[in-house]
Amino acid sequence: MVFVNEEQRSITVVNSNGSLDRKIDFKPYVPHDITYIPKDNTIAITSSSSHYVKIIDGDTLRVIKILCVGSNCAGIAFTNGKLIVCNLEKGLIEVTYPGGSVKTILSCTMSTNS
């Protein structure tokens, strides 16, 4: 399992028995939310301090792709081959994966709690 730690600007990987596997530093990037992309064993991470969604390899935990989404983001989910992202300035957006094209689903200002 993988968890985001905004305060320490890192992600924490925990083994299935609950023990710590490793921590990965993302400074100066402040990770906010995370979602798993099963079709290629990757993880997408948003940041409330960055205009990018970072795609991480699920095995090596290294950044393999960066998608520009135009403004800072909060929550993220993966469904039907698309990333659904709470974009703080644009609203709810859909990002094709792996292509990265952005489409607004709901235009509004979002909170970092979204």
Side-chain angles (χ1 to χ4, degrees), residues 27-91:
K27 292 174 186 162
Y29 191 79
V30 182
H32 182 83
D33 199 12
I34 194 167
T35 191
Y36 179 64
I37 304 170
K39 71 179 189 176
D40 59 3
N41 189 37
T42 56
I43 300 161
I45 302 174
T46 60
S47 174
S48 57
S49 67
S50 170
H51 293 201
Y52 303 100
V53 173
K54 292 190 176 185
I55 308 298
I56 310 294
D57 181 281
D59 295 318
T60 66
L61 299 175
R62 297 196 189 281
V63 176
I64 58 171
K65 187 170 188 125
I66 298 174
L67 304 171
C68 182
V69 293
S71 72
N72 301 353
C73 297
I76 188 169
F78 179 78
T79 185
N80 297 324
K82 296 179 174 90
L83 294 165
I84 308 301
V85 181
C86 295
N87 186 293
L88 300 182
E89 292 177 16
K90 295 180 180 180

